[in-house]
Amino acid sequence: MSGLLDIKNLEVGFGAVTAIKGISLSLYRGTRMGIVGESGSGKSTLGLATLGLLPDFARCSGEVLFDGTALHWDNDMAMAGVRGSRIGFVHQDPMGAFSPVHTIGTHLTRAYLSAHPGASKADATKAAVDRLDEVEITDAKSRLRHYPHEYSGGMRQRVMIAAALIGNPELLIADEPTTALDVTTQAAVLRVMNDVIEARGMGLILITHDLGVVAEICSEVAVMYHGELIQHVPVDQIHEKAHPYTEALLKARPRPGMRGERLPTIAELLPEGWSDV
Amino acid sequence: MTSLILSRLVSSFIALLGAALVAFVALRLAPGDAARLTLGAFATDEAVAALRSEMGLDQSILTQFYVYIRDFFTGDWGRSYALGEPVRSLLGQRFPATLELGLYAFCMAFVSALVLALWGAHRKGPISDGVPKALGVLALGVPQFWFGLVLLIVGFEMTGLFPGPAGRLPATVTPPAGPTGMYTVDALLHGDLKTFATALHHLFLPALALGLLPFGFLYRLLRANLEDVSGAPFALVARAHGQSRLRVMVATLLPNAIIPMLTASGLIFGQLLAGSVLVERVYNWPGAGMLVTQGVLQQDYAVVQVFILLSAVIYIVTNLIVDIVAASIDPRLAKGGA
């Protein structure tokens, strides 16, 4: 059986660097997968490669099938039909992800009209208000006229989720959606994201370096290290069959009761010679 | 927005007074006696003194300044002592010619810079991006009068496609009588398409010669800004929403990149009006440039003062419009006030 998203032997390089070294991965409908790894492990690149949004100088090989059909990254019009309306995307930077000279309403209605060509402006506005309600932005109708700089970071991140949902996609790729937010706001944004995904039965790829978030939201976890997929297991089994690197990652998390101690680092936790991969 | 416009109007008025003061003082400080220059070396001292008092030069400097400002706003622009004609009628004929030439040059520069920068940023090929980039560099380095001559040699002498340096209209065509003094506009207002086409034909080469430099400047500015904003996260996110590359370029990136180009446009347009004298010379264009250059050389105060103030007014009004347009594009500018 083929999944909602099948990544087959994907390889991505930038110049002399190979960011992703032949990854194969399947995500089934309704599955929520967390992709974890250190900075530079290639997890964000994986998300962008799927959407065909890597910079022009990136070299991609391999294949990504969405719902059984191969994605043609170099065909911008074909990809535009997939982005937004089949795969939604949430960017990690709520400050930079909105054009400062356009209202929130413009961002949302443009996203809606790209996914529903031929729909009326009124439909788009209605959808925008509904999605803002869904992510718990109060007084949505009048807030459409506001500019991004009039929103707080947490609100902007919720608006970004609303914009990603407005095309009614089957899969959401969220690239570190809460990294730029403070802890309380993080929790609120994650809860909203979790709720809307559950309500819609959408698939989720959550790219993060926060294992706690993965444990809360995801059903599966994929661990990446230096462009390779090291482990891919259901989230409740991560402790049982942990790969040495995954184990090291888990041990590197701060825990209550560790006050005053130094956090273990990955290098000292890994078995001898392991990082030479 | 209203507060922005109000504060801009106030600062515009102050800038105008400043320009008037500078024009006034600079001309008074220039060596030489205007009355003596007008009458020549053989005039009697009595005649010179009589002219000085007629020109108001024997009054205190403050009174002269007051009279100068008052007369400008009441429309009494004085008389050119070198040419013996009222400044109003002199500039009334000449200034629209310069304005029309400047407008066409500016529009050609702006539109082509806009289109080529968008095209190059969208399709980064050697032809779509490389050729305009090289052209942009060239445009900044080529002297206007030289380019004007080259255009004349190619467009008139070699191919005969365009009229020679014969001014705004051939002698056989009567200029349209009209409110603006700009022949293409007046011809259109009278529905005279034939004169419109002829006037346009005469405008093309000088406008091209004058517009090359602003084109290079505006093109490079917009192209660089488009490159900057195309790396912004919002460009990526807009595409992730399903908008095509081209649509993102025009609808999202352009409004973010165009504001410096608009600001520069305001400055450039003012410069085009004041600095078209070389091109006017090459094409025998009966504009204000020649008149004013003569005026400066002969210390013809009235002409020069009025021209400086007129340029200042246009400069300030253009920049006021630019500020308002920029603020309507970027809400943060409207908030910022001053």
Side-chain angles (χ1 to χ4, degrees), chain A residues 48 52-53 56 76-77 80 83-84 87 89 91 93 96-102 107 110-111 114 147 149-150 160 163, chain B residues 124 232-247 251-253 255-256 259 328-332 335:
Chain A
L48 290 179
L53 287 178
D56 291 334
D76 189 48
M77 290 318 266
R83 297 179 199 129
I87 308 177
F89 178 70
H91 193 268
D93 173 15
F98 292 94
S99 157
V101 306
H102 294 107
H107 283 91
R110 277 184 184 169
S114 314
Y147 285 90
H149 68 266
E150 297 170 287
M160 190 136 54
Chain B
K124 291 179 186 149
F234 58 75
L236 186 82
V237 170
R239 290 184 64 208
H241 287 165
Q243 300 176 42
S244 69
R245 229 178 236 274
L246 185 61
R247 179 153 164 69
T252 301
L253 298 186
N256 276 288
I259 286 175
S328 70
I329 291 178
D330 191 335
R332 293 167 301 178
K335 274 242 169 102

Side-chain angles (χ1 to χ4, degrees), chain B residues 145-234:
Chain B
F145 65 90
W146 178 84
F147 184 59
L149 286 172
V150 170
L151 285 178
L152 263 186
I153 292 168
V154 176
F156 168 61
E157 222 171 86
M158 287 166 61
T159 62
L161 287 174
F162 291 95
R168 306 172 73 186
L169 280 177
T172 50
V173 179
T174 357
T180 66
M182 293 189 271
Y183 289 174
T184 51
V185 179
D186 289 341
L188 275 187
L189 286 177
H190 290 103
D192 185 355
L193 287 179
K194 200 157 172 265
T195 309
F196 171 76
T198 316
L200 204 60
H201 200 198
H202 280 71
L203 262 169
F204 186 77
L205 289 187
L208 198 61
L210 191 60
L212 185 72
L213 182 80
F215 158 77
F217 189 68
L218 294 176
Y219 168 79
R220 285 166 61 92
L221 193 63
L222 182 62
R223 181 68 191 79
N225 277 306
L226 279 174
E227 194 64 37
D228 267 3
V229 295
S230 67
F234 58 75

Side-chain angles (χ1 to χ4, degrees), chain A residues 100-177:
Chain A
V101 306
H102 294 107
T103 62
I104 292 296
T106 306
H107 283 91
L108 288 167
T109 49
R110 277 184 184 169
Y112 180 85
L113 291 171
S114 314
H116 306 85
S120 74
K121 193 103 209 257
D123 287 344
T125 308
K126 193 183 169 309
V129 172
D130 290 349
R131 293 296 81 75
L132 285 187
D133 281 339
E134 202 176 337
V135 297
E136 299 171 16
I137 302 276
T138 49
D139 201 12
K141 199 158 195 165
S142 66
R143 301 235 67 179
L144 284 182
R145 284 195 307 272
H146 291 187
Y147 285 90
H149 68 266
E150 297 170 287
Y151 277 64
S152 71
M155 284 172 84
R156 266 184 265 191
Q157 201 56 302
R158 279 184 280 150
V159 173
M160 190 136 54
I161 294 170
L165 294 177
I166 207 166
N168 225 357
E170 295 132 87
L171 171 67
L172 184 70
I173 298 178
D175 185 3
E176 309 204 26

Side-chain angles (χ1 to χ4, degrees), chain A residues 11-14 17-21 40-43 45 224 226-228:
Chain A
E11 217 173 288
V12 179
F14 301 104
V17 184
T18 310
I20 294 186
K21 301 167 184 161
S41 61
K43 53 194 199 303
T45 305
M224 287 185 68
H226 278 207
E228 285 182 73

